Amino acid sequence: ALAGGDRLASAPLIALAHQGHNFRSGMQGLLTKIDIALAAFAGGLDDVADAVMGKLNRTETELGTRRCNFDYLYCMARIAARQGNPVQALKLYANYTAEALRCLRSEAPESGTVHPQAGRALAVDDLSARLPAKYRRAYRHIVENLERADLSTREVAAQIGVTERALQMTFKSSIGMTPGGLIRKLRLEGIREELLSDARVNASIVDTASRWGVKSRSVLAKGYRRQFHESPSETIYG
């Protein structure tokens, strides 16, 4: 009803969204509020969406800024534009676009259809295809969790029920690098892609790297130069 423009439908939904005991976790509360906001936008009731998203608590906001929460970014971009803040709106829309494309690319190999211009998705599919079927699940786990700084070979091995040694040997023989090496390679490629993007806003190099799970400046500088033969700032400014 809210998506159809029925303003009366907003009151019980807002009441529900603002009662924390209705939700088992912060993520469930966030997703509920996002769904209400999206319905309000669809019904032309932007003020209702603003009221719902404006009541996010700290935990929900932190969850919303993680990778792949592009619905959150879309809602916040719409609200920033409505509030007369075009600079913030543009930044959020740019992040929304980048996150949506990243999610699409990570899922494209499984769907079996990869657009020729989706360079990274094509590369991921090519590497994955070299691995035994069981180990492709490990590869996918890596791709889906690249942003996590604590992602480890041990965790990846546990996901498919093999030893770390078996995982390392299979990756090395199949794709020419260990799981740890693959994680570093894909992270750096993601950072470089974002630094080169036309949609990039004024986020710092450190912030960009942090979104890809690279928290150390020295690790970033050494690894980036080793892989691309230039520094991140040289990538940006040529």
Side-chain angles (χ1 to χ4, degrees):
L2 184 63
D6 183 356
R7 182 175 292 275
L8 294 177
S10 65
L13 290 172
I14 291 176
L16 172 69
H18 293 164
Q19 295 171 7
H21 64 270
N22 289 315
F23 309 113
R24 293 190 299 271
S25 66
M27 179 59 81
Q28 187 182 57
L30 171 64
L31 294 177
T32 298
K33 292 173 184 177
I34 288 175
D35 282 344
I36 295 171
L38 290 172
F41 282 132
L45 302 172
D46 290 17
D47 59 313
V48 173
D50 194 345
V52 172
M53 298 300 288
K55 296 293 185 179
L56 295 181
N57 60 42
R58 181 176 178 179
T59 299
E60 291 168 338
T61 299
E62 290 175 351
L63 289 169
T65 56
R66 293 180 183 176
R67 278 185 61 194
C68 297
N69 286 332
F70 44 84
D71 287 338
Y72 167 85
L73 293 170
Y74 172 78
C75 289
M76 298 309 292
R78 286 280 300 264
I79 290 169
R82 179 177 182 274
Q83 294 176 345
N85 191 341
V87 174
Q88 180 67 6
L90 179 60
K91 178 180 178 180
L92 289 165
Y93 273 127
N95 289 340
Y96 158 73
T97 302
E99 295 301 328
L101 286 173
R102 192 172 294 129
C103 286
L104 175 63
R105 288 171 177 175
S106 71
E107 294 185 10
E110 184 172 291
S111 70
T113 303
V114 182
H115 193 282
Q117 293 181 353
R120 177 171 168 153
L122 184 62
V124 168
D125 191 48
D126 176 60
L127 285 176
S128 178
R130 302 181 205 171
L131 289 162
K134 180 176 182 178
Y135 288 84
R136 290 175 196 163
R137 290 193 288 114
Y139 191 101
R140 181 170 178 80
H141 184 77
I142 289 173
V143 171
E144 291 178 343
N145 291 276
L146 276 176
E147 79 282 2
R148 288 179 38 224
D150 63 345
L151 180 63
S152 67
T153 301
R154 176 178 296 180
E155 175 189 326
V156 177
Q159 284 291 317
I160 61 171
V162 299
T163 65
E164 291 182 65
R165 180 64 175 163
L167 184 72
Q168 291 169 338
M169 291 181 63
T170 301
F171 267 62
K172 187 70 174 178
S173 63
S174 299
I175 63 175
M177 68 186 84
T178 64
L182 175 66
I183 291 171
R184 290 190 292 273
K185 176 179 182 295
L186 294 180
R187 281 175 173 166
L188 290 170
E189 287 177 351
I191 292 168
R192 181 177 175 82
E193 181 181 334
E194 195 165 323
L195 294 178
L196 289 170
S197 173
D198 291 336
R200 180 178 175 271
V201 290
N202 294 324
S204 70
I205 292 172
V206 172
D207 288 341
T208 300
S210 182
R211 284 198 296 274
W212 285 90
V214 180
K215 306 293 185 181
S216 168
R217 291 172 181 264
S218 61
V219 169
L220 171 65
K222 292 177 183 178
Y224 197 96
R225 182 169 291 280
R226 185 183 305 115
Q227 187 158 325
F228 303 116
H229 308 292
E230 63 181 16
S231 69
S233 58
E234 287 173 329
T235 296
I236 297 174
Y237 303 111

